[in-house]
Amino acid sequence: MNGKRILLIVGGGIAAYKSCELVRLIRKAGGQVTCVLTEGGSHFVTAMTLGALSENRVYTSLWDLKDEVEMGHIQLSRAADLVVVCPATADLMAKMAAGIADDLATTLLLATDKPVLAAPAMNVRMWQHAATRRNVAQLRTDGVTVLEPDEGAMACGEFGPGRLPEPEAILGAIRNALGSSAGRLAGKHVIVTAGPTQEPIDPVRVIANRSSGKQGFAIAEALAGLGAEVTLVAGPVGLPTPRGVRRVDVETAREMDRAVQGALPADAAVLVAAVADWGVEAAASKLKKADGPPQLAWSANPDILLELAHSRHRPKLLVGFAAETDDVVEAARAKRERKGCDWIVANDVSGDVMGGEENSIHLVTGDGIESWERASKQEVARRLAERIADALA
Ligand code: CTP
């Protein structure tokens, strides 16, 4: 992170303990951190912990006279390259959205002229409450990057969206936010496919697969973060559209093929979608159980990657994915040759990768194979986006 300066505002929630790990990761990545601890945050982590990890003074109060003599709050809010709010509580976001400045953290947030990234964490019902939805929408309109919280079991015993994203994923978002000013991919158009496709059998039934779309969406977000114009062709998934990305929703492989063709020309295409290899002739009316198991007439779907590799409009850089369960690297190498793409990103999907938060991949290029250590899907996306920027430079 090349000495980039992060002003980290730690809000009051149980997830505040993860901000300590975030400080450690930013430091490890070569960034500098100055922490501001809210009154609420101080009930969960101490200024001593944050100070030791950041190797910097921790600020807590607006009424520290010495700081105010030096116009501390203005200085603090301007000296950073990026302001990060982690965890961003419902209360903190409500104040940010309303422009309330009643403590050091909120005053800094109102006084800053730097990009702001918020990593929310709260109870699922608070996250889904109409007031929070309104505040998040307002913050996004105001240019704040609000990350989507993770889903899962929460400290309060409930289940759903509201968990703080893992510190590694937040670090990836920080890198994206810092990178966007660099605009390494400005003026480049990249097509990304993501998610599964669904092949209808009759008006109510489909053949689908387990792809969650998370990796593809993270790649689209990371590319947009580097300034690319991104067209995201998405199969049926319930994920929010990443900031700054043009999204085209499709259902079947044929629709995805048409959407990709329609989005050309592009400088690069990253085909992450798990496209159904075959479709069936869908019945016009619902098949009835009494008629017994249906005889499905299968036919091959277009291979979007293969077509693109041999198209007149072949993007300069064509990246395919290979979800494999056996001989991952060997299968990926063969797939790269067969499909005619430049790179294959191979992942072993025999474990919990599909639908999970992490991925461990092998990047197969014309120069050989790189095996990346297991990381969050956001971090994999960030690294891949950087590599794509290198290749298109
Ligand atoms: N792909 C595509 N269109 C298809 C099928 C796959 O664009 N109809 C793309 C995927 O998005 C991914 C890559 O091709 O980038 C992976 O292809 P895969 O289906 O795994 O390869 P196959 O050639 O079908 O090999 P196999 O099923 O034997 O593993």
Side-chain angles (χ1 to χ4, degrees):
M1 287 175 72
N2 244 344
K4 285 275 180 352
R5 291 156 305 178
I6 309 297
L7 182 68
L8 178 65
I9 294 175
V10 180
I14 180 63
Y17 77 93
K18 288 194 190 169
S19 62
C20 300
E21 174 65 3
L22 181 63
V23 173
R24 206 185 59 77
L25 290 177
I26 297 170
R27 295 287 294 140
K28 198 171 144 209
Q32 296 178 34
V33 193
T34 303
C35 295
V36 171
L37 185 58
T38 64
E39 153 70 17
S42 69
H43 291 280
F44 296 92
V45 292
T46 67
M48 181 75 84
T49 312
L50 292 170
L53 290 169
S54 65
E55 298 176 83
N56 237 332
R57 172 160 177 209
V58 175
Y59 295 83
T60 52
S61 170
L62 188 57
W63 308 116
D64 185 331
L65 277 183
K66 184 175 173 297
D67 293 342
E68 285 313 292
V69 169
E70 296 165 3
M71 288 304 283
H73 68 279
I74 298 290
Q75 244 177 43
L76 266 181
S77 70
R78 305 276 166 88
D81 294 298
L82 178 72
V83 180
V84 177
V85 188
C86 172
T89 60
D91 174 66
L92 205 42
M93 288 197 295
K95 285 180 176 161
M96 287 165 74
I100 293 172
D102 63 355
D103 65 0
L104 179 60
T106 47
T107 304
L108 289 172
L109 284 160
L110 202 57
T112 192
D113 58 354
K114 294 295 158 37
V116 178
L117 184 150
M122 66 196 70
N123 166 273
V124 54
R125 287 180 210 286
M126 291 170 78
W127 173 251
Q128 286 168 343
H129 194 283
T132 307
R133 306 278 82 232
R134 256 195 327 269
N135 291 332
V136 169
Q138 183 61 54
L139 288 173
R140 287 180 172 151
T141 305
D142 293 346
V144 175
T145 303
V146 183
L147 302 184
E148 284 299 313
D150 280 354
E151 266 188 51
M154 317 197 66
C156 55
E158 292 193 65
F159 192 90
R163 279 162 57 110
L164 189 74
E166 288 307 318
E168 226 194 15
I170 301 174
L171 181 70
I174 289 174
R175 286 180 141 137
N176 285 344
L178 290 169
S180 63
S181 52
R184 296 189 65 208
L185 282 171
K188 304 286 184 197
H189 178 215
V190 186
I191 299 172
V192 179
T193 67
T197 60
Q198 288 184 353
E199 304 297 324
I201 298 175
D202 68 11
V204 297
R205 301 181 178 93
V206 296
I207 297 169
N209 63 65
R210 292 185 198 280
S211 168
S212 67
K214 286 179 189 168
Q215 185 64 83
F217 273 58
I219 289 169
E221 183 168 23
L223 290 164
L226 294 184
E229 182 201 325
V230 180
T231 304
L232 172 61
V233 182
V237 291
L239 298 173
T241 308
R243 239 173 97 81
V245 164
R246 189 175 83 90
R247 174 173 180 171
V248 183
D249 282 313
V250 298
E251 201 175 300
T252 65
R254 284 177 199 282
E255 286 171 13
M256 184 170 276
D257 186 37
R258 278 196 295 274
V260 168
Q261 298 297 329
L264 290 169
D267 298 283
V270 189
L271 304 193
V272 196
V275 185
D277 288 320
W278 310 281
V280 297
E281 189 72 46
S285 15
K286 189 183 165 195
L287 300 172
K288 303 304 282 181
K289 186 163 57 185
D291 296 335
Q295 296 297 316
L296 300 178
W298 295 93
S299 61
N301 277 330
D303 188 322
I304 306 167
L305 181 58
L306 191 75
E307 269 181 12
L308 216 45
H310 298 98
S311 124
R312 257 184 335 120
H313 297 295
R314 185 194 196 282
K316 182 173 167 219
L317 181 69
L318 190 53
V319 184
F321 264 64
E324 306 285 353
T325 52
D326 305 287
D327 295 331
V328 179
V329 169
E330 219 18 74
R333 216 197 311 249
K335 199 164 280 184
R336 179 176 169 273
E337 297 282 320
R338 195 167 69 245
K339 299 257 190 176
C341 55
D342 301 296
W343 301 350
I344 282 276
V345 179
N347 53 359
D348 186 344
V349 289
S350 50
D352 56 359
V353 162
M354 277 197 145
E357 301 304 325
E358 295 191 327
N359 208 351
S360 88
I361 64 123
H362 309 274
L363 181 62
V364 183
T365 70
D367 299 330
I369 294 162
E370 288 171 33
S371 296
W372 295 1
E373 64 193 35
R374 192 178 169 90
S376 67
K377 288 185 175 173
Q378 279 79 10
E379 179 63 12
V380 170
R382 191 197 61 74
R383 280 187 70 178
L384 192 65
E386 292 287 352
R387 293 295 296 269
I388 290 169
D390 293 344
L392 292 184

